[in-house]
Amino acid sequence: MSTVADKLAKKSTHKAPAKQVRLRLVYIDFWSAVKLSFLAAVAIAIVTVVSYFLVYLVVSATGLIGKADEFFASFTDGSATLSQYVGLPQVMAFAAIVAILNLVVVTVMGAVVAGIYNLAVKVTGGLLVGFTSN
């Protein structure tokens, strides 16, 4: 008796010839580009906040902030120290501000690039893309 697995194995050994298709990309949907660029910007924002946190941990663990305080105290009266301004809350607040600005800029740039491409298609005719089915 032939099982379903045997039938599928027989079908998979028979290779159909690959069909190649050349298509022209003539339009990028504006809202799709905005959504995709927003998701990419969210990923970049997460990476930004995490990387700022990790860099702060490394700098703090190596004692670099303390050494910088000693350096600044050598030519000032010592009333202002670097550790007052470079703490974990300040670093994370700065990281959040940078992440939010990047979120806005990358999202807007995605929309602008989609609009520019849609205008350029009218002149160039679009991007020719080849596809194949295996």
Side-chain angles (χ1 to χ4, degrees):
M1 280 196 166
S2 177
T3 64
V4 174
D6 293 334
K7 290 179 183 177
L8 288 175
K10 287 179 184 177
K11 284 186 178 181
S12 66
T13 59
H14 181 279
K15 289 279 189 180
K19 183 177 179 183
Q20 293 184 355
V21 178
R22 293 176 62 165
L23 299 173
R24 193 171 298 275
L25 180 62
V26 294
Y27 179 73
I28 295 177
D29 184 48
F30 178 77
W31 288 113
S32 295
V34 169
K35 288 187 285 187
L36 186 64
S37 62
F38 177 75
L39 286 177
V42 167
I44 292 170
I46 291 169
V47 168
T48 300
V49 171
V50 170
S51 64
Y52 272 64
F53 178 71
L54 292 176
V55 167
Y56 176 78
L57 285 181
V58 169
V59 168
S60 177
T62 57
L64 191 61
I65 296 174
K67 296 287 184 186
D69 277 342
E70 292 173 11
F71 175 71
F72 286 126
S74 68
F75 61 87
T76 62
D77 60 355
S79 62
T81 60
L82 185 63
S83 58
Q84 289 176 330
Y85 303 109
V86 183
L88 184 60
Q90 291 88 359
V91 169
M92 295 313 293
F94 183 74
I97 291 169
V98 169
I100 290 169
L101 288 175
N102 276 341
L103 186 81
V104 171
V105 168
V106 170
T107 303
V108 169
M109 288 304 295
V112 168
V113 167
I116 290 172
Y117 181 80
N118 289 337
L119 289 174
V121 163
K122 295 180 181 182
V123 176
T124 63
L127 183 67
L128 190 62
V129 182
F131 294 98
T132 183
S133 65
N134 288 337

